[in-house]
Amino acid sequence: MLNADSNPILTLADYVYFENSSSNPYLIRRIEELNKTANGNVEAKVLCLFRRRDLSGALNNLADNGAREFEEETQQPSLPEAQKHQLKHREIFLSRQFESLPATHIRGKCNVTLLNETDLLGGYLEKEDCFYYSLVFDPMEKTLLADQGEIRVGLRYQAEIPDKLAEGVSDGRMLEKLETMVWDPDNQLKDPEIDQFLVVARAIGTFARALDCSSSIRQPSLHMSAAAASRDITLFHAMDTLQRSGYDLAQAMCTLVPRGGPVLCRDEMEEWSASEAVLFEDALEKYGKDFTDIRQDFLPWKSLASIVQFYYMWKTTDRYIQQKRLKAAEADSKLKQVYIPTYTKPNPNQILVPGSKPGSNGTTGFQKGHSCESCHSAHSQQWYAWGPPSMQCRLCASCWVYWKKYGGLKTPTQLEGAVRGSSDDAPRSQLTPPEVQDMSPFAAGSANRAKLLAKNRQTFLLQASALTRLARRLCADVLRPRRAARRPYAPVSATALRTECMARLPKAPKGLLKPKPAKSRPALATVVKKLALQTPQRLKPSRGPPVPINRNQSGQPRAAASLLGKRPLDAPPSNGRALAPSVQNAGQSVIKRQKVNNGDSPNPVVFVATKDTRALRKALNQGEMRRAARKPHLLVKLKAAPVPVLAAVSSEPIVLED
């Protein structure tokens, strides 16, 4: 059992590790309630917290931006790349999602705190089982928001206090613009006179509610109307009326009862209906004092100020006192703490050690010589299988504990921007899709990953090393090249293949180890000349006049350039290359080709068929067409086509007779 401390007793509001799978990392949860089921087991109602590996790539990028801004604002000290990689495993995300889990799946305690501007990020790495959060994740909406309960500590939230005025120096500011007087205690009225005026104001408020139809329905009795008229809103209105009347009782009386009728003052307790009050109580039970979520989900037609005022008035009612007593009695009947014994069962992912019984507590079939996928250590008291079973990856004891607690490896992988010593010595880490999305919260890691995964428009070449080419022939039964070529998405364990190749290398035949002679390649000028000589032959055009396809096209030149910049139909086919000087006819004009920018070139390149190309296709039968498609490098031999005999053209009119 992995504990943040040695105390096995868990109480409410403790952050704990939950194990839902023997191979996956622990779940981090906060205990909200402990309930005892009918069969005697203990279930915990917990609040869910999520790791970076549980978020999508877009949300990880959003979290990276927030982490980068926090680092710049607080001027955090720079950390090594290894510590930056480990720091992202300490960041978790709060949520409003609850679930019930059996208490027997608890594997220990941990500490989770709200990230503060005064905290140093490196301090979290020095503490065991310590995490931090600054954002709230919504699993349903797939959004990340800032925590509303942020404690505003730092230089940005400090008040600027001016210097104290010296003795005899007057304040030059106009106090009338800085503040407004709402009550003068040094007025000419006595306290009994003020009390009598407040009684008259309550009586006027009761009479006004009797005249109001909506108030008479809500407070049908005189007692309820008098109680509503005695609330603070009536007293504040009466005292404000005295202040504005210059503490003249006669003028204040006339202000309370104008010509249109008595003034009715109502607060939020009277404005809200009974159904709205019930909705507010349900929302308060679900969200607590998060008034923004209460307004958004339950009371969107109310303003935020109205909800806050109603909350503090609702706390003064008997309804609130009754609910508080019921909750206290219910909390006394529930469990407040639970004892979790030490978990001593072996993990099913343990690899058998020499001397143990087969199938007792581990996984069999692992070959010797495998190193730890995290720290690359070859020695450990206990090994654990990690990743897909076919890849035979494993972790040492310390890296396995780190994986279970923090949900990642100690060293960054190649997808996360790590640079290792050699490509041959670097094992290919087998990661699940959430692990691939696990990115660094710092600018360097995300930039390297963006450069690695960005689509490169330039051509690249993958050149295999001598050992790789040799392994393809020695370990053909293990690698299965044809199957790997058909399934390029299937991972290949470079470590296992290299180990097997080194084991078979001493027993390999000498003929297999000899490198194949390199093929002699002709010079570039020879290739260009050969391609230029293999241009398609031109057919002799017919001597008759061209028949227009459309009447509107009869007067237009056939070789006019189009708006798209295509070459004219009479131009010889070049297949994207310029013709050699020896092939160009003397009567043809050289077409000046426009220089196309590589960034603006279309993808793929489109070759427009010319008149000669279309005539050549019609002259070929189906067999010759297929043969030319299978072997495009061979010259197409064309038989001489018969020249059609056209009738003589005469200018005399044609006469039709019956």
Side-chain angles (χ1 to χ4, degrees):
M1 183 175 177
L2 308 174
N3 283 321
D5 50 20
S6 58
N7 187 12
I9 299 178
L10 303 176
T11 59
L12 301 180
D14 280 347
Y15 292 91
V16 294
Y17 293 119
F18 270 91
E19 185 176 24
N20 65 338
S21 175
S22 60
S23 58
N24 292 338
Y26 292 138
L27 305 176
I28 300 178
R29 299 291 185 261
R30 186 177 69 189
I31 300 177
E32 299 293 332
E33 294 180 6
L34 292 171
N35 303 319
K36 196 170 184 180
T37 60
N39 54 4
N41 297 330
V42 178
E43 280 191 353
K45 181 183 177 182
V46 294
L47 178 68
C48 300
L49 295 97
F50 295 88
R51 304 179 189 265
R52 272 182 169 263
R53 66 192 306 270
D54 302 324
L55 273 63
S56 62
L59 294 182
N60 271 289
N61 293 335
L62 186 61
D64 289 342
N65 296 335
R68 184 165 54 252
E69 292 177 0
F70 175 81
E71 184 183 6
E72 294 175 356
E73 291 176 359
T74 58
Q75 299 179 358
Q76 295 286 333
S78 60
L79 298 175
E81 292 297 328
Q83 293 187 4
K84 290 181 179 180
H85 169 74
Q86 296 177 7
L87 186 62
K88 66 184 178 183
H89 300 152
R90 302 300 183 98
E91 183 180 10
I92 60 177
F93 302 92
L94 194 67
S95 72
R96 309 297 184 194
Q97 180 178 342
F98 294 89
E99 62 181 0
S100 295
L101 297 174
T104 54
H105 290 186
I106 296 178
R107 296 294 179 263
K109 289 184 181 181
C110 60
N111 298 320
V112 179
T113 57
L114 176 65
L115 183 62
N116 201 302
E117 291 186 355
T118 59
D119 296 341
L120 294 178
L121 294 176
Y124 289 95
L125 298 176
E126 301 174 359
K127 302 176 184 179
E128 193 74 14
D129 303 304
C130 188
F131 301 88
Y132 69 90
Y133 75 93
S134 59
L135 300 174
V136 179
F137 172 59
D138 190 350
M140 302 300 295
E141 300 293 336
K142 304 296 181 183
T143 56
L144 272 180
L145 300 173
D147 185 32
Q148 299 295 332
E150 180 184 0
I151 302 176
R152 297 185 176 183
V153 177
L155 299 177
R156 296 186 303 170
Y157 306 107
Q158 302 301 322
E160 297 181 0
I161 303 176
D163 297 335
K164 184 179 179 180
L165 297 176
E167 295 183 1
V169 179
S170 60
D171 191 358
R173 298 176 300 174
M174 299 181 65
L175 300 181
E176 293 79 6
K177 295 183 179 180
L178 298 178
E179 55 189 6
T180 303
M181 180 181 293
V182 295
W183 182 258
D184 185 10
D186 300 330
N187 54 75
Q188 66 272 17
L189 298 178
K190 299 181 180 179
D191 292 342
E193 295 176 347
I194 296 176
D195 294 338
Q196 291 175 359
F197 178 77
L198 295 180
V199 172
V200 173
R202 294 191 188 99
I204 294 174
T206 305
F207 178 67
R209 283 168 175 79
L211 297 179
D212 185 63
C213 297
S214 60
S215 299
S216 60
I217 295 175
R218 295 180 181 180
Q219 294 99 14
S221 63
L222 179 61
H223 177 74
M224 296 178 63
S225 300
S230 301
R231 299 186 62 83
D232 293 339
I233 187 67
T234 305
L235 302 181
F236 291 159
H237 176 67
M239 299 177 73
D240 183 63
T241 303
L242 275 179
Q243 169 67 21
R244 286 187 283 105
S245 302
Y247 299 96
D248 186 358
L249 293 178
Q251 184 179 356
M253 291 286 186
C254 296
T255 306
L256 288 178
V257 187
R259 292 183 179 181
V263 177
L264 176 60
C265 301
R266 293 189 296 193
D267 55 10
E268 297 297 333
M269 289 297 297
E270 292 186 75
E271 293 289 345
W272 286 44
S273 63
S275 58
E276 291 175 343
V278 173
L279 281 177
F280 175 79
E281 293 177 358
D282 295 341
L284 195 66
E285 181 71 20
K286 181 178 181 180
Y287 293 118
K289 292 190 293 184
D290 195 343
F291 300 114
T292 304
D293 291 346
I294 291 175
R295 178 179 179 271
Q296 181 177 358
D297 296 344
F298 285 85
L299 299 166
W301 59 89
K302 295 288 186 182
S303 64
L304 191 61
S306 175
I307 294 175
V308 174
Q309 291 179 11
F310 180 81
Y311 169 73
Y312 286 103
M313 293 180 182
W314 174 77
K315 290 185 67 175
T316 61
T317 60
D318 296 337
R319 176 79 174 175
Y320 169 76
I321 298 175
Q322 292 176 2
Q323 289 191 0
K324 192 174 181 180
R325 290 176 180 175
L326 290 176
K327 288 183 178 180
E330 186 179 357
D332 292 339
S333 62
K334 291 184 178 181
L335 298 176
K336 295 182 178 59
Q337 60 184 13
V338 63
Y339 175 81
I340 303 298
T342 305
Y343 187 78
T344 57
K345 293 183 180 180
N347 194 293
N349 290 60
Q350 289 183 2
I351 302 176
L352 286 176
V353 296
S356 60
K357 297 180 180 181
S360 59
N361 64 342
T363 304
T364 59
F366 274 74
Q367 299 179 2
K368 297 181 179 180
H370 286 208
S371 60
C372 177
E373 292 291 329
S374 178
C375 63
H376 313 298
S377 175
H379 303 283
S380 178
Q381 297 180 356
Q382 181 63 56
W383 295 95
Y384 294 86
W386 180 77
S390 59
M391 306 315 302
Q392 297 187 356
C393 301
R394 63 180 185 176
L395 297 177
C396 62
S398 61
C399 293
W400 177 258
V401 174
Y402 186 92
W403 160 257
K404 295 290 287 184
K405 285 185 176 181
Y406 306 114
L409 301 182
K410 293 182 179 179
T411 56
T413 60
Q414 294 180 358
L415 286 178
E416 294 166 329
V419 181
R420 297 185 179 179
S422 174
S423 60
D424 293 341
D425 299 336
R428 184 174 180 175
S429 301
Q430 309 303 328
L431 300 179
T432 57
E435 291 178 71
V436 175
Q437 297 173 358
D438 192 14
M439 299 175 293
S440 173
F442 296 90
S446 59
N448 292 335
R449 184 181 186 276
K451 292 179 181 179
L452 180 65
L453 299 182
K455 183 179 179 181
N456 194 354
R457 299 183 63 180
Q458 299 179 358
T459 306
F460 63 93
L461 174 64
L462 297 179
Q463 186 174 4
S465 61
L467 183 61
T468 305
R469 294 194 297 268
L470 187 60
R472 293 172 182 170
R473 289 178 281 174
L474 283 178
C475 307
D477 56 337
V478 180
L479 179 60
R480 302 172 65 183
R482 289 191 177 184
R483 184 175 182 272
R486 295 190 188 101
R487 303 175 62 189
Y489 53 86
V492 179
S493 178
T495 307
L497 194 61
R498 182 171 61 252
T499 305
E500 188 68 21
C501 180
M502 297 302 294
R504 297 185 183 183
L505 190 59
K507 301 179 182 179
K510 296 182 179 180
L512 191 63
L513 301 180
K514 292 182 180 180
K516 295 183 179 180
K519 297 181 180 180
S520 59
R521 298 179 179 178
L524 182 60
T526 306
V527 176
V528 173
K529 185 177 180 181
K530 185 178 179 181
L531 293 175
L533 293 176
Q534 292 180 1
T535 55
Q537 298 179 354
R538 291 192 62 191
L539 294 178
K540 295 182 179 181
S542 59
R543 297 180 180 179
V547 180
I549 300 176
N550 195 342
R551 294 182 178 179
N552 298 330
Q553 297 178 356
S554 58
Q556 299 177 0
R558 296 291 302 273
S562 63
L563 295 177
L564 298 178
K566 298 181 180 179
R567 63 172 178 268
L569 299 178
D570 293 337
S574 61
N575 293 334
R577 307 180 184 87
L579 295 179
S582 60
V583 184
Q584 296 179 356
N585 297 332
Q588 297 176 356
S589 61
V590 180
I591 301 175
K592 188 176 181 182
R593 145 182 310 240
Q594 184 180 2
K595 189 174 181 181
V596 182
N597 188 9
N598 294 332
D600 300 335
S601 60
N603 188 18
V605 179
V606 180
F607 292 91
V608 181
T610 62
K611 177 181 177 182
D612 298 335
T613 307
R614 290 193 292 269
L616 182 60
R617 291 174 185 170
K618 294 179 180 179
L620 297 177
N621 55 27
Q622 187 176 6
E624 293 174 345
M625 184 72 74
R626 290 183 178 178
R627 191 179 302 108
R630 295 191 186 100
K631 298 180 180 181
H633 59 281
L634 297 180
L635 184 64
V636 179
K637 297 180 180 180
L638 185 64
K639 299 179 181 179
V643 179
V645 179
L646 301 177
V649 180
S650 177
S651 60
E652 297 180 359
I654 300 174
V655 180
L656 300 178
E657 297 180 357
D658 294 337

